[in-house]
C-alpha cells in the first residue's frame, strides 16, 4: 500500500490488504491471500511470532472436538497442517505425527520401558490419547515464519511498525477501512484491513 491521504474506496473486491499482526493468524491470512494473487502488507510491531504464536506447544488432534460445535473445524485444521507440511516440508515447520499417552505424577515408582527421566513416580494409570493417525505436533514459530516467507516470496511485504489507528470511509452497507495509521511509516491506504493481534486486538 502507498502512503496517501484517505480517499473514497469503491466496493470492489479488496486487492490492497493490510494485515495487522505477524502471528499465526496474520501469517496464515497473508499466505493464502498471496496464493490467490494478492500482495498484502503485514504490519507487526516487534517481529514474526514474537508473542504466543512463537511459544505454543503446537499440539494437533484430529478428533478430540468431535462432539463439539468446532469438531469439523478441528478436523479441517488437522488436515490443513498436513497439507502445509507437504507444501513446506515437515522438517521446515517441525511437523511430526506421534503416539501419545497421558500419565499423572503420584507415588507409584515407574520402572521398565515406560520409565522416563523426567517422571519417576506416577499414579500408575496410563491412558492412550491417540496415535499417529489422530495426533500431530508442529513447531509454531517455524510454521509462522514459513507462512510469512511464503507470502513475501509471492509479493507480500512485512513492515515492522506499530499500528496506532485506522480511518474509515462510507461503503455499501456500512463503513470500510481506507487507511491504516502507523507510528513510524505514517498513513497507509488500503482497500481492506484484517486485525490479527490476538488478545492485543481492540474492538
Amino acid at each position: 500500500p502507498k502512503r496517501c491521504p484517505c480517499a473514497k474506496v469503491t466496493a470492489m473486491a479488496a486487492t490492497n490488504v493490510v494485515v495487522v499482526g505477524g502471528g499465526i493468524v496474520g501469517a496464515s491470512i497473508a499466505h493464502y491471500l498471496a496464493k490467490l494473487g494478492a500482495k498484502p502488507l503485514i504490519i507487526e510491531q516487534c517481529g514474526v511470532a514474537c508473542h504466543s504464536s512463537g511459544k505454543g506447544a503446537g499440539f494437533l488432534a484430529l478428533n478430540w472436538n468431535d462432539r463439539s460445535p468446532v469438531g469439523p473445524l478441528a478436523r479441517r485444521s488437522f488436515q490443513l497442517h498436513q497439507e502445509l507440511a507437504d507444501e513446506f516440508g515437515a522438517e521446515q515447520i517441525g511437523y511430526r505425527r506421534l503416539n501419545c499417552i497421558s500419565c499423572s505424577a503420584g507415588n507409584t515408582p515407574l520402572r521398565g520401558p515406560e520409565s522416563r527421566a523426567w517422571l519417576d513416580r506416577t499414579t500408575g494409570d496410563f491412558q492412550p490419547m491417540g496415535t499417529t493417525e489422530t495426533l500431530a505436533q508442529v513447531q509454531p514459530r517455524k510454521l509462522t515464519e514459513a507462512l510469512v516467507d511464503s507470502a513475501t516470496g509471492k509479493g507480500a511485504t512485512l513492515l515492522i511498525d506499530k499500528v496506532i489507528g485506522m480511518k474509515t470511509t462510507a461503503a455499501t452497507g456500512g463503513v470500510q477501512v481506507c487507511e491504516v495509521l502507523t507510528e513510524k511509516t505514517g498513513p497507509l491506504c488500503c482497500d481492506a484491513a484484517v486485525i490479527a493481534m490476538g488478545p492485543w486486538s481492540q474492538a
Side-chain angles (χ1 to χ4, degrees):
K2 298 179 180 179
R3 297 182 61 179
C4 61
C6 190
K8 184 177 180 181
V9 180
T10 63
M12 61 181 292
T15 56
N16 195 17
V17 184
V18 171
V19 179
V20 184
I24 187 63
V25 175
S28 298
I29 292 169
H31 167 71
Y32 287 105
L33 282 174
K35 290 185 73 171
L36 293 172
K39 296 181 179 180
L41 171 66
I42 310 162
I43 305 178
E44 165 57 44
Q45 181 176 352
C46 61
V48 174
C50 62
H51 291 297
S52 56
S53 291
K55 299 173 176 64
F59 203 64
L60 308 167
L62 173 69
N63 55 4
W64 287 4
N65 294 293
D66 277 356
R67 296 183 180 180
S68 79
V70 298
L73 183 63
R75 283 182 168 268
R76 179 66 185 112
S77 173
F78 191 84
Q79 178 186 358
L80 192 61
H81 280 85
Q82 178 65 67
E83 293 173 7
L84 290 170
D86 294 339
E87 180 177 351
F88 297 139
E91 185 175 345
Q92 180 72 17
I93 63 173
Y95 179 89
R96 61 174 180 160
R97 293 293 185 101
L98 69 163
N99 297 303
C100 191
I101 60 172
S102 68
C103 57
S104 301
N107 296 318
T108 303
L110 187 61
R111 301 186 180 91
E114 294 178 330
S115 62
R116 298 289 185 273
W118 47 267
L119 182 66
D120 58 359
R121 292 179 178 273
T122 76
T123 60
D125 297 324
F126 294 88
Q127 300 294 330
M129 297 175 67
T131 68
T132 54
E133 296 297 316
T134 60
L135 293 179
Q137 189 174 30
V138 68
Q139 215 291 350
R141 176 178 291 277
K142 289 185 176 181
L143 175 57
T144 307
E145 291 173 343
L147 289 164
V148 171
D149 288 345
S150 171
T152 55
K154 296 177 176 64
T157 303
L158 173 63
L159 173 65
I160 303 300
D161 204 341
K162 181 180 180 180
V163 172
I164 58 175
M166 295 184 180
K167 289 185 178 180
T168 59
T169 188
T172 303
V175 297
Q176 182 172 344
V177 175
C178 65
E179 195 172 83
V180 175
L181 309 176
T182 61
E183 189 172 72
K184 299 176 182 178
T185 311
L188 298 165
C189 282
C190 61
D191 298 319
V194 182
I195 301 175
M197 299 165 57
W200 293 273
S201 300
Q202 295 182 0

